[in-house]
Amino acid sequence: MTTTNHRDTPPSLSPDDIIRLAQYHTTAPLHPFLLSPTSHQTLISHLHTLSPATVSQYTSSLLSLLSPSPSLSSLITPLIISYINLFNSHKIPHDRHSFKTLQLFSPHLDNIPITDLQLVSESIVNGFPQINSDPDEAQLLDLLPKCLHTVFNSDEIDKPRDSVNAVFDRVLEFNWSGVLLVKLVSIIREFQFIDKVRVRRLVAKVFDEMHRVELQDLPLLVYQLLVLASKGVNKREVIEGIIVFFGGKAGLEKGGSTIVREVEGTVLLHVNFAVKQDPSLGQEVLGLVRSDVLVIDYFVVGLLLSIARIRRYGENVMGTLKTALSTSYKDHKFSRHCKWLPDGLKKEYLQNAISTEAAVLRAVNESNYGREHVVPSIVQLGFVLLESVEEMSHQELDNTGLMGSQELGLQMLKSLFEVHDMARNEIIEQCKFRILSLKPEQSVAIIRLLGNLVKNYPHPMLEFISHLKELLDYFGFMQSKVASHLIDVLLPLIKFSHNLQDYIILVVRKAMFRQEDQVRLAAAGAIINLIIAERQCKQNKPCFYQESSSQASSSQVHEGPPVISNDLFKELSGLLQRCLYQQAKVKEVVYRGLLKLVLVDPLTAGEVFDFLLPHFLKFYKEDGQLDIIQCVKTDNGKICVVEPLDDLLSCVSWILLLQPQAKSDVRSDSWASFGFSLTQDTEVILNTIATELEKAVDDKKIELENEFSDLVDLYVSLEKNVANSTQSDGTRKGTTQSTAVDPTYKNESDNTKCIKEKAPVLATSSICQLFKTSFELYKHDTTKSKLLNFVLNAIVFQIKSFAYVAKDDPLKGLIYGDIKLLGPPLLKLIWLLMKKEAKGKKDNGDIKGLFSLALMCLKELVTVNSHSGEEIREIEEMLLESVGEDVSDSECDHEYQVNGIDNQREKRLVTKFVKPLFSKLLHAKFFHEVEVFRLIYLKMG
């Protein structure tokens, strides 16, 4: 009997035999030992006796010999459980052999009893705490979805869903390592049988634990999440989680800044690809941004710019970003002027606007870290902002830390030009296209960008000389101010490119022969500015009077040292002579430009004088008088000015006044060669009168005062003649015009265009001296009010024109000087007029007219000097210091109750200045003046 049993027992196989058998396995029948139930225990026991390195090889060999079959479940179940226990306890290596072994287990899972599958699932989940830093430690998770799916669909147990949910809940309860999190995300899409609530919890936990993931694993993780979202799994939650994680401070604190930026760049590429595959993801991004759920941070901006590369989203993204910026500006502007909002909320609105701007700039600055694909989007957004309408004025932007949309767009394109060589050509081409196609008021900002690039990056700009020449070819077809501005911003390049200088000269020569007046006007300005720029290049220093410091392909452009050209004033003198035969406005440009030239280079005073002398002699008579008749002509019944004699005389007189400071070889007898004297009866001599009045005494002072009075009488007489002529013309045409023009309000109704184009004749220092003289005369003789009226009108014009002068204009320091010097005498006059009014001295109604004009001057002065807190404080101190001068003590000794003002300086200003003067105006029934005074106070904030 024993012998018979021995013959029925199949021969046993050692582990080595099984490994060899697997290597040479064919379609021959399976070895009987493997099929015998009595051998299963022996086969499993080998897992615990073999060396760790051999266990996976043995197990995979055994599984490769076994075909999936329910009859083998008694072997497979203990085999997989034993292998999982060894894997979780780190008794066997986690390597490619273990990975292959686990893959071979997968086909057999369908044949394992459900109760055993539940044990397998529990064993896998129990190993979660051992999954730390090695991705191979998470190999077991590949079996979990199939195990749970099989249990979920089984009818062998009661409530299989509850069983699966219990296991899944345990997964959610564990603390996940970065490796475990990445692995779970990679298999989430296989848990289709899990309810939406638990999947949402899992996605939320992914983003809660995402900070544990290593930097290099983040792009893969995001890609897997995006794939999950594209399958319809929690799209909004996935997109929002990605944005919050990468935009938040806690997201990427690990690693160097360069690595972090490169990781973010790769993530943006993944998002771009995912949106291309599933456009609905792009809609989710835009929806989140528009819903105001997310703060606009740098990652959101980068994400939107990345999506903008997809054609269908380009315009929507640009509109979304522009709206976000516009909304932040509007919110701040509203809160700033809203009286009932708390200060904390106002600061929050301001900080939100600042953060939005900073986010856009950061996205631009980091565009060269693996995210070059967003560069075209940045170019597009930069120009969109540059062409947009500002939500806030320059005054509202001052001292807030905000740039405004146009300045933000300029800084974006400027940074991009510096960092990305590949973007430069597109930026220049866009500038050229937009300057030629946009309206003049819109193209100004584009030209400002071009000037900024020329100023800050002259050598890179030399590569685009041919592009600039193509733009200059349209000089004669541009609006005059656009053409002039374009030449101005390109002039710094002539220091490095003689070729560009020659081309500009060629362009303006052609323009001087055009029929259009505006084209010739622009050409004249370009000639003057070209000469001045050439002088400044030679000197290589700022102006000492300045208060603040066809042929397109004919030659190649080379970077190199500055190019010193010939004397352009001599070279272009013939072209300048032609300007003197053009219309009056062209001559005005030339005269002002020549004065600037003398300021920039005093040694040119003699050359400029010799140039102007023949022209001046045309209007000078031998008897010492000026031939005014030649300065005007009639055209179709209208009187037209053909020679702006005031500008010519102003230019000559300023050159004479500056001559002692100019170390030139101009002979003193040159000025007397035509008998010209600065004390002739012309408006221009007021500058000299003011200068002499400062030093004159006794009879000389009286003589100059009388001369000043005579000049004002002449001016008033001319003004009346002009007014009467205008009235007569209006009557003949059947129009209704007022027959009484109040001279005190003359400047209030002046055309702003005239103020921009007409330069003042008087210097601020001269006006101050004339004001002082007029004040003293009026103080003792109220019939001298006409002098004050004249000076106050001059002050209004001086201050208004000051706002339109460029900071680097050489005439600014010479003519305007310190404009705030006009403040103290104005305030002194205001208090004097109030004193006279209080005493009942009506003076034929002159007091109210003078007071209105003085307040108008003060309002304009406050307007141009309220751009910063420091300037406003200076104005406030000036107002307070004026109290007491020509004011009796009783006028300021009243104790006014001031409520609701915490600032002591402001309380003192209201108590000592605002309320007393306000009360006097109301008492005198100066209601229009009350409104002007209210505007002054509001201007100071």
Side-chain angles (χ1 to χ4, degrees):
M1 185 70 180
T2 303
T3 304
T4 303
N5 290 338
H6 181 70
R7 288 196 197 99
D8 293 338
T9 304
S12 62
L13 296 174
S14 67
D16 292 336
D17 295 334
I18 294 175
I19 294 173
R20 282 194 299 271
L21 188 61
Q23 291 175 348
Y24 302 105
H25 179 59
T26 62
T27 56
L30 194 61
H31 194 281
F33 180 77
L34 298 178
L35 297 175
S36 173
T38 58
S39 64
H40 292 174
Q41 187 62 39
T42 303
L43 292 172
I44 294 172
S45 65
H46 293 323
L47 295 176
H48 304 282
T49 58
L50 291 171
S51 64
T54 313
V55 171
S56 292
Q57 186 181 10
Y58 164 73
T59 307
S60 61
S61 298
L62 181 59
L63 290 172
S64 65
L65 294 172
L66 302 175
S67 299
S69 172
S71 61
L72 295 175
S73 62
S74 59
L75 171 61
I76 297 298
T77 300
L79 181 65
I80 189 172
I81 292 176
S82 298
Y83 189 84
I84 289 174
N85 291 334
L86 291 173
F87 188 95
N88 285 337
S89 59
H90 291 268
K91 292 181 178 180
I92 58 176
H94 302 162
D95 52 19
R96 61 185 180 86
H97 298 295
S98 60
F99 178 72
K100 178 183 177 182
T101 302
L102 291 172
Q103 285 184 319
L104 292 173
F105 272 122
S106 182
H108 295 276
L109 294 178
D110 293 329
N111 300 314
I112 297 178
I114 297 301
T115 53
D116 293 334
L117 270 182
Q118 290 176 309
L119 293 176
V120 171
S121 302
E122 290 289 342
S123 299
I124 294 173
V125 173
N126 289 336
F128 280 11
Q130 282 73 45
I131 302 175
N132 295 311
S133 57
D134 187 357
D136 287 334
E137 294 174 348
Q139 292 175 357
L140 283 176
L141 269 71
D142 289 330
L143 300 178
L144 186 59
K146 189 169 184 178
C147 290
L148 295 181
H149 182 265
T150 304
V151 173
F152 183 83
N153 292 321
S154 172
D155 54 4
E156 298 178 15
I157 59 174
D158 294 333
K159 299 181 179 180
R161 178 186 295 273
D162 292 345
S163 176
V164 170
N165 288 341
V167 175
F168 201 82
D169 289 340
R170 287 199 61 203
V171 171
L172 296 175
E173 291 172 1
F174 280 105
N175 292 324
W176 297 348
S177 65
V179 170
L180 177 59
L181 186 149
V182 172
K183 189 64 178 181
L184 282 171
V185 170
S186 68
I187 62 174
I188 285 177
R189 61 180 179 274
E190 299 181 35
F191 290 106
Q192 299 178 2
F193 47 88
I194 301 297
D195 60 84
K196 293 182 179 180
V197 175
R198 284 179 169 81
V199 173
R200 186 175 292 109
R201 286 173 56 195
L202 185 142
V203 171
K205 187 174 178 64
V206 166
F207 290 108
D208 288 341
E209 305 289 343
M210 201 165 170
H211 62 278
R212 303 178 186 272
V213 179
E214 294 295 327
L215 281 175
Q216 63 270 19
D217 295 331
L218 284 173
L220 174 61
L221 176 62
V222 170
Y223 178 77
Q224 291 169 340
L225 287 168
L226 291 170
V227 171
L228 181 68
S230 66
K231 300 296 183 181
V233 179
N234 300 92
K235 288 185 179 182
R236 188 178 185 86
E237 288 79 3
V238 169
I239 297 297
E240 184 176 356
I242 292 173
I243 293 175
V244 171
F245 175 78
F246 285 95
K249 292 182 179 180
L252 297 179
E253 292 180 347
K254 298 177 288 185
S257 58
T258 302
I259 298 176
V260 169
R261 292 169 181 170
E262 291 176 350
V263 166
E264 291 175 344
T266 307
V267 168
L268 294 181
L269 280 172
H270 286 330
V271 174
N272 177 277
F273 179 76
V275 174
K276 287 179 181 177
Q277 301 302 313
D278 182 8
S280 64
L281 294 177
Q283 295 292 350
E284 290 293 344
V285 175
L286 292 175
L288 283 168
V289 176
R290 290 169 179 168
S291 66
D292 240 2
V293 173
L294 300 173
V295 177
I296 301 293
D297 54 47
Y298 77 97
F299 185 78
V300 173
V301 175
L303 188 63
L304 290 172
L305 292 173
S306 180
I307 294 175
R309 295 294 296 127
I310 303 171
R311 180 175 297 180
R312 67 183 298 172
Y313 287 112
E315 292 185 5
N316 286 337
V317 168
M318 295 301 139
T320 299
L321 286 170
K322 183 180 177 181
T323 301
L325 281 164
S326 176
T327 301
S328 66
Y329 293 142
K330 288 179 180 178
D331 289 345
H332 166 61
K333 184 177 181 179
F334 168 77
S335 66
R336 182 177 182 178
H337 297 290
C338 186
K339 302 298 182 182
W340 51 267
L341 279 180
D343 291 340
L345 192 55
K346 291 183 178 182
K347 291 180 180 178
E348 183 179 339
Y349 280 126
L350 173 59
Q351 189 57 45
N352 181 50
I354 293 174
S355 300
T356 304
E357 285 189 343
V360 174
L361 284 180
R362 182 177 173 185
V364 175
N365 294 333
E366 297 185 355
S367 60
N368 59 334
Y369 291 94
R371 57 191 84 181
E372 286 77 7
H373 69 287
V374 306
V375 169
S377 299
I378 296 175
V379 173
Q380 184 181 358
L381 178 61
F383 280 105
V384 166
L385 295 178
L386 203 57
E387 297 168 13
S388 62
V389 178
E390 288 285 10
E391 298 292 342
M392 302 175 65
S393 65
H394 291 295
Q395 185 175 355
E396 290 173 323
L397 289 172
D398 284 338
N399 301 315
T400 61
L402 292 172
M403 291 181 286
S405 55
Q406 289 190 358
E407 182 63 23
L408 178 61
L410 188 147
Q411 292 299 326
M412 289 174 61
L413 294 169
K414 177 183 170 184
S415 299
L416 206 62
F417 188 90
E418 178 183 9
V419 174
H420 290 282
D421 293 351
M422 65 178 185
R424 292 176 180 174
N425 186 73
E426 179 63 20
I427 292 174
I428 299 300
E429 280 295 313
Q430 286 292 328
C431 285
K432 184 176 72 174
F433 169 75
R434 292 168 190 270
I435 290 172
L436 296 176
S437 60
L438 292 176
K439 295 179 180 179
E441 58 272 16
Q442 291 178 303
S443 62
V444 170
I446 309 299
I447 296 177
R448 187 160 66 95
L449 166 66
L450 195 60
N452 203 295
L453 297 178
V454 168
K455 179 180 178 181
N456 292 283
Y457 313 106
H459 291 294
M461 283 297 295
L462 291 176
E463 301 176 10
F464 304 98
I465 292 294
S466 60
H467 298 257
L468 300 179
K469 286 181 178 180
E470 292 173 5
L471 183 57
L472 287 171
D473 286 338
Y474 295 89
F475 180 88
F477 303 95
M478 297 179 186
Q479 196 260 0
S480 61
K481 290 185 178 179
V482 173
S484 299
H485 194 189
L486 176 61
I487 294 292
D488 290 346
V489 301
L490 296 182
L491 287 179
L493 277 183
I494 68 172
K495 179 165 51 172
F496 306 97
S497 175
H498 194 85
N499 180 261
L500 178 62
Q501 175 183 297
D502 291 344
Y503 201 81
I504 292 176
I505 294 173
L506 175 64
V507 167
V508 296
R509 280 186 188 275
K510 291 180 179 179
M512 285 303 301
F513 290 89
R514 294 288 296 271
Q515 293 183 353
E516 299 86 352
D517 293 344
Q518 293 299 316
V519 175
R520 296 199 301 272
L521 185 65
I527 294 169
I528 289 292
N529 292 336
L530 187 61
I531 295 172
I532 293 174
E534 182 253 354
R535 293 284 176 164
Q536 289 175 325
C537 288
K538 287 182 176 180
Q539 292 180 336
N540 198 23
K541 61 180 181 180
C543 170
F544 64 87
Y545 270 101
Q546 198 170 315
E547 289 192 338
S548 61
S549 320
S550 113
Q551 246 188 344
S553 61
S554 61
S555 64
Q556 295 181 349
V557 178
H558 300 282
E559 290 189 20
V563 177
I564 304 299
S565 62
N566 298 326
D567 189 345
L568 281 183
F569 181 74
K570 293 180 180 179
E571 183 180 338
L572 299 178
S573 59
L575 210 52
L576 287 175
Q577 285 287 352
R578 182 176 179 83
C579 292
L580 297 181
Y581 291 93
Q582 302 292 328
Q583 69 266 37
K585 288 186 177 180
V586 173
K587 297 177 184 179
E588 291 175 7
V589 171
V590 173
Y591 298 149
R592 289 198 296 268
L594 291 175
L595 178 56
K596 292 179 183 179
L597 177 61
V598 174
L599 288 170
V600 170
D601 185 2
L603 296 179
T604 60
E607 295 177 82
V608 173
F609 170 75
D610 291 338
F611 174 80
L612 289 174
L613 177 58
H615 184 69
F616 179 81
L617 289 175
K618 295 178 182 179
F619 310 99
Y620 180 75
K621 296 180 180 180
E622 293 181 358
D623 58 359
Q625 299 299 315
L626 296 174
D627 190 359
I628 304 296
I629 301 301
Q630 293 191 50
C631 298
V632 295
K633 70 175 182 179
T634 58
D635 185 11
N636 295 327
K638 295 182 179 179
I639 298 177
C640 302
V641 177
V642 294
E643 176 60 45
L645 194 58
D646 54 345
D647 286 276
L648 175 59
L649 292 174
S650 175
C651 177
V652 174
S653 65
W654 274 118
I655 293 174
L656 180 60
L657 288 173
L658 294 172
Q659 184 209 348
Q661 303 175 41
K663 299 178 181 179
S664 65
D665 56 355
V666 179
R667 302 188 309 275
S668 60
D669 59 350
S670 298
W671 300 96
S673 62
F674 55 92
F676 178 63
S677 169
L678 287 182
T679 57
Q680 291 176 349
D681 294 340
T682 65
E683 184 181 353
V684 179
I685 65 174
L686 286 174
N687 277 312
T688 304
I689 291 177
T691 304
E692 295 180 2
L693 271 172
E694 189 175 0
K695 302 176 182 178
V697 294
D698 301 333
D699 293 342
K700 180 64 175 177
K701 182 176 182 180
I702 295 174
E703 179 185 349
L704 290 172
E705 288 174 351
N706 291 334
E707 188 173 356
F708 172 40
S709 181
D710 291 341
L711 284 170
V712 172
D713 287 338
L714 177 61
Y715 176 83
V716 172
S717 175
L718 290 173
E719 285 289 311
K720 287 182 178 179
N721 290 336
V722 172
N724 292 334
S725 176
T726 303
Q727 180 185 355
S728 299
D729 291 342
T731 303
R732 286 197 298 269
K733 294 178 182 179
T735 57
T736 304
Q737 291 192 358
S738 174
T739 58
V741 180
D742 186 356
T744 62
Y745 292 98
K746 179 177 72 70
N747 281 287
E748 192 68 31
S749 59
D750 275 352
N751 195 314
T752 303
K753 182 180 178 181
C754 177
I755 295 175
K756 290 182 180 180
E757 297 180 352
K758 189 70 175 177
V761 174
L762 296 174
T764 298
S765 57
S766 300
I767 293 177
C768 287
Q769 184 59 43
L770 295 176
F771 195 173
K772 179 180 179 182
T773 300
S774 304
F775 180 85
E776 293 299 328
L777 291 173
Y778 176 77
K779 193 174 181 180
H780 300 94
D781 183 2
T782 55
T783 62
K784 300 292 185 180
S785 61
K786 61 183 179 181
L787 301 181
L788 275 177
N789 195 299
F790 172 83
V791 176
L792 289 173
N793 274 291
I795 291 176
V796 171
F797 187 83
Q798 189 86 353
I799 298 174
K800 284 188 174 182
S801 62
F802 175 80
Y804 298 105
V805 181
K807 292 181 180 180
D808 57 350
D809 193 325
L811 294 180
K812 189 167 188 177
L814 176 68
I815 294 180
Y816 294 96
D818 186 1
I819 202 76
K820 290 191 290 294
L821 291 176
L822 298 170
L826 276 174
L827 292 166
K828 193 174 182 180
L829 174 63
I830 288 173
W831 285 116
L832 175 65
L833 293 173
M834 281 288 91
K835 182 178 180 181
K836 286 182 176 292
E837 196 283 331
K839 292 181 178 180
K841 297 182 179 181
K842 301 299 181 182
D843 300 325
N844 298 323
D846 284 346
I847 289 181
K848 184 174 182 180
L850 290 173
F851 190 84
S852 298
L853 197 49
L855 271 185
M856 191 189 309
C857 294
L858 184 61
K859 178 173 77 71
E860 297 298 334
L861 185 65
V862 171
T863 300
V864 299
N865 287 283
S866 57
H867 297 146
S868 67
E870 183 179 353
E871 288 182 337
I872 293 175
R873 283 191 292 273
E874 290 180 5
I875 293 293
E876 291 177 352
E877 291 299 324
M878 181 179 68
L879 297 178
L880 288 171
E881 288 174 3
S882 72
V883 178
E885 297 183 12
D886 293 303
V887 183
S888 63
D889 293 338
S890 60
E891 291 179 85
C892 294
D893 284 345
H894 301 291
E895 288 296 330
Y896 293 95
Q897 187 66 29
V898 181
N899 297 320
I901 301 179
D902 298 327
N903 188 299
Q904 291 300 317
R905 189 181 71 255
E906 185 178 354
K907 184 180 292 187
R908 181 165 165 258
L909 178 67
V910 172
T911 303
K912 296 295 184 181
F913 181 83
V914 176
K915 283 199 171 183
L917 188 56
F918 198 82
S919 177
K920 291 178 183 296
L921 291 174
L922 290 175
H923 183 266
K925 298 182 180 180
F926 288 180
F927 300 122
H928 174 76
E929 288 70 22
V930 167
E931 177 62 20
V932 175
F933 187 64
R934 184 187 71 86
L935 293 175
I936 293 174
Y937 185 68
L938 292 178
K939 289 283 185 183
M940 296 189 297

